[in-house]
Amino acid sequence: MKKINYSEFTKNIIKLLTTISIAQFIPLIITPILTQYFSAEEFGLYGLYISVCSILGIIAAGRYDIAIMLPKKNHDAINIVAICFFLTSIFSILCLFLLTIFKHELFELTKSELFVKYYFFIPISIFLISMNQTFMVWFNRQKNYTLIGDQNLLKSTSNSFSSLFLGIKKITLGMIIGNIISLFVSIIFNIYDFLKSSNLQLVSRKKILENFRKYIIFLKYSTISNLFNSLSNIGITALIAIFFGPKIAGFYFLADRIISIPISIITSSVSQVYFQKASLLFYSNKKELLQLTKNVQRKILYILFPFLLTLSLFGENIFSIFGNDWNEAGIIIKYFA
């Protein structure tokens, strides 16, 4: 049986970990500065926007983006990328249509002008999130981890500094606009790198329909499961905004952001390399896949437990750097850590 190449696996994780650490460290440093220019209500509005767009962006392609890793031939994989583009486009247009019809009802539910004056930001962001996600899986299939790391760094940098600039200029919805800018920057470079690493002449209507039918199980089952999984993970901010208002949602979102950034430094780098390796082992050696999974889970636990324990014990003191107005976020993080 083919054994796992742990040296290659570890090397790829370290390669991603380096760039992702820098990418996540930037917003961690920028956040205390952003709290000086944006209020808790504005953080709550941004959290509502991120929750809605991230949840819908994950399922916009019908989870066919996961299937990109599975075909043995790039011929089929590139046609699945085309499927993701068509489904994402249809889904985003549908969201725009529904938001246009129900924008006043959504405003009454959330008391947020996001759904009245700026609702068109949502379908645009959904499309960009979904397609960027699709391209990342394609680059993962190519084992181009340097490019994935660089893209994460580019997105994080453009998001953080554009948000800071817009905050200093007191631009309405500065953080939301900053996020959209970063998504546009990412998609431009992703399209360029995708075109360099693929042959669009391989895309055909016949192959698109063939792969659509072959992997339709992702649309049928993974879409719903991922929707509920996303709701449980990142939908809390939206629920808090609905029931308790944007200010409390802002406190929660900031606490969640601070705790999520260091965690994602570890999990993002590991998960992408694990996904590529696990996709191969699922068909060739399930015993080795189980061994790999156990090792990854155990090491992540060893790394994250001390960090989470520290936040649980000293979260309120740590949040004092954000100013007295943000003490409640420190209290929240003590219990959520």
Side-chain angles (χ1 to χ4, degrees):
M1 286 187 178
K2 184 181 178 181
K3 296 293 182 182
I4 302 173
N5 188 343
Y6 282 105
S7 59
E8 181 191 7
F9 185 79
T10 304
K11 181 181 178 181
N12 289 332
I13 287 178
I14 292 173
K15 189 183 296 182
L16 274 181
L17 185 62
T18 303
T19 50
I20 288 177
S21 296
I22 299 172
Q24 297 290 356
F25 190 67
I26 292 171
L28 193 64
I29 296 299
I30 291 290
T31 297
I33 305 175
L34 291 178
T35 57
Q36 309 305 311
Y37 296 101
F38 296 102
S39 65
E41 287 84 357
E42 288 173 303
F43 266 90
L45 180 61
Y46 179 61
L48 176 63
Y49 156 81
I50 288 293
S51 295
V52 172
C53 294
S54 297
I55 290 169
L56 296 179
I58 288 171
I59 64 169
R63 299 312 280 147
Y64 273 90
D65 51 301
I66 300 176
I68 293 171
M69 296 292 293
L70 301 181
K72 292 182 179 179
K73 297 179 180 179
N74 280 339
H75 190 163
D76 292 309
I78 196 172
N79 279 276
I80 298 176
V81 173
I83 293 172
C84 292
F85 172 77
F86 289 125
L87 290 180
T88 298
S89 300
I90 294 169
F91 187 88
S92 301
I93 293 171
L94 178 62
C95 286
L96 177 61
F97 177 72
L98 293 174
L99 285 168
T100 303
I101 295 175
F102 298 108
K103 60 183 179 181
H104 295 294
E105 287 78 5
L106 290 169
F107 172 75
E108 289 299 321
L109 180 65
T110 62
K111 305 301 179 185
S112 171
E113 291 188 344
L114 174 65
F115 293 105
V116 177
K117 294 183 178 180
Y118 310 103
Y119 64 90
F120 55 89
F121 282 158
I122 295 175
I124 292 173
S125 300
I126 290 170
F127 177 83
L128 294 174
I129 289 170
S130 180
M131 287 311 301
N132 280 327
Q133 178 179 277
T134 297
F135 287 132
M136 286 298 102
V137 180
W138 171 264
F139 298 140
N140 195 0
R141 176 184 173 87
Q142 309 303 317
K143 295 186 179 181
N144 198 338
Y145 298 113
T146 300
L147 178 58
I148 293 173
D150 291 343
Q151 291 288 4
N152 283 319
L153 183 58
L154 176 67
K155 182 175 180 292
S156 174
T157 304
S158 57
N159 189 3
S160 297
F161 287 104
S162 58
S163 296
L164 179 59
F165 174 79
L166 294 170
I168 294 173
K169 293 295 183 179
K170 301 187 183 301
I171 302 297
T172 304
L173 303 180
M175 286 188 289
I176 293 177
I177 296 173
N179 185 72
I180 294 174
I181 290 173
S182 71
L183 290 173
F184 269 113
V185 171
S186 295
I187 199 72
I188 291 170
F189 282 93
N190 281 335
I191 291 173
Y192 174 76
D193 290 318
F194 171 73
L195 292 176
K196 284 202 309 181
S197 63
S198 59
N199 182 5
L200 293 184
Q201 292 182 346
L202 297 176
V203 177
S204 66
R205 181 180 178 183
K206 179 182 177 182
K207 278 294 181 180
I208 287 175
L209 293 174
E210 180 183 310
N211 283 283
F212 181 83
R213 287 190 293 266
K214 183 176 181 179
Y215 296 105
I216 198 169
I217 188 173
F218 290 100
L219 178 62
K220 287 182 177 179
Y221 302 109
S222 293
T223 303
I224 299 299
S225 64
N226 276 269
L227 175 62
F228 284 106
N229 186 49
S230 300
L231 283 170
S232 65
N233 288 333
I234 54 183
I236 303 300
T237 304
L239 291 175
I240 293 176
I242 292 171
F243 290 105
F244 301 102
K247 186 173 184 178
I248 301 301
F251 289 138
Y252 170 80
F253 179 73
L254 181 64
D256 182 65
R257 177 172 174 154
I258 296 302
I259 199 173
S260 297
I261 287 175
I263 290 176
S264 65
I265 289 174
I266 304 299
T267 57
S268 295
S269 54
V270 173
S271 64
Q272 293 191 60
V273 181
Y274 171 82
F275 183 30
Q276 191 277 333
K277 180 67 71 174
S279 298
L280 297 176
L281 291 177
F282 181 78
Y283 293 105
S284 62
N285 195 332
K286 287 186 171 62
K287 185 177 180 181
E288 293 285 1
L289 173 59
L290 180 61
Q291 179 187 344
L292 174 68
T293 304
K294 287 180 177 179
N295 287 335
V296 168
Q297 289 176 331
R298 184 169 59 250
K299 290 175 182 177
I300 288 177
L301 175 63
Y302 293 158
I303 294 171
L304 291 183
F305 182 76
F307 164 72
L308 295 174
L309 181 63
T310 301
L311 280 181
S312 183
L313 295 174
F314 306 107
E316 195 170 354
N317 296 327
I318 293 172
F319 267 71
S320 62
I321 65 174
F322 296 100
N324 294 330
D325 294 338
W326 295 93
N327 284 340
E328 289 188 50
I331 296 172
I332 290 173
I333 206 170
K334 285 179 63 176
Y335 298 101
F336 274 70

